[in-house]
Structures are given as C-alpha cells and as structure tokens.
Amino acid sequence: MVIIKVYREQGNIVALDVCGRADAGRGGAAIESAVAAIIHTLLMGLKSLRRIALDLAEEETAMHIGIRRGFRRNDVQALMRAAGLGLQQQSKQYPYQVRVVERIIYSDGVVL
C-alpha cells in the first residue's frame, strides 16, 4: 500500500510524506506511476518558485517534501492543494492501494 501523509500547520499544507508500494497484482505499477507523476509535478512546480526553502528526502520507496520557508504563500498552497486533490482521487479510486492520512502540526510541535 502507498501511504501519503499530508501535514498541515494552521490550515496550510507544509509537508507530504509518500511511502510504500502498491500491490503488483492489482495494477500496482500504474497506480505507483500515477502517484509518482503527481508528486514529481508538484516538486517541479515548487522548484520553479523563488524565495521558498524546500526540505527534500528521497529513498527507494519513500519521499518527503517539506516547505521550510514560504509555505503560507498562495502559489505554494495552490500547488500543494492541487497535488493533495490528485492524491485523494487516487485514494478514492484505489482504496486498497493508496491511503491519504492528514496530520495536524500544532504550535507546540505536537503532531496528531
């Protein structure tokens, strides 16, 4: 299963974590390709913006995209929300293959 964690702070999306693999027997390659296309399009859009600081980490089956500076900007949030909508759609279409989980970051650093 591909698990996507969406981290929000004061209503703004500040990070995404994507990890796991889809079941190959259930069209997993196509599902993984769709998720990867959404994530990499988001990443290209974020990298094209000026005056934001990204925190990126990538492993074989995991990726983290965090925004250290500039996450409140409208253009950044538009990109993050669009990616979130695409990932939610994948989760609705393939509920046994993709799961999107929302996490809230509170001002004291607690994540729920």
Side-chain angles (χ1 to χ4, degrees):
M1 176 171 275
V2 177
I3 299 174
I4 299 123
K5 293 180 184 174
V6 178
Y7 294 89
R8 292 183 179 271
E9 185 176 311
Q10 297 177 346
N12 295 298
I13 301 173
V14 297
L16 293 173
D17 286 336
V18 181
C19 64
R21 304 287 311 245
D23 181 7
R26 294 182 169 182
I31 295 166
E32 286 179 9
S33 293
V35 169
I38 293 166
I39 294 299
H40 287 286
T41 301
L42 168 64
L43 194 52
M44 287 187 309
L46 291 172
K47 285 182 174 181
S48 74
L49 301 176
R50 296 177 185 214
R51 294 185 299 277
I52 68 168
L54 297 175
D55 178 24
L56 305 173
E58 189 170 3
E59 297 176 15
E60 187 176 331
T61 61
M63 180 176 233
H64 169 80
I65 301 173
I67 305 169
R68 291 190 314 262
R69 187 182 71 234
F71 66 83
R72 288 186 177 92
R73 289 175 36 179
N74 289 336
D75 52 356
V76 171
Q77 285 304 303
L79 288 168
M80 296 296 275
R81 283 192 305 272
L85 288 172
L87 295 167
Q88 285 285 357
Q89 185 59 38
Q90 290 297 307
S91 178
K92 287 178 184 173
Q93 205 167 2
Y94 306 103
Y96 298 106
Q97 296 277 33
V98 180
R99 179 177 298 152
V100 177
V101 179
E102 296 260 340
R103 298 285 187 234
I104 305 296
I105 303 172
Y106 291 94
S107 57
D108 58 1
V110 173
V111 178
L112 293 178

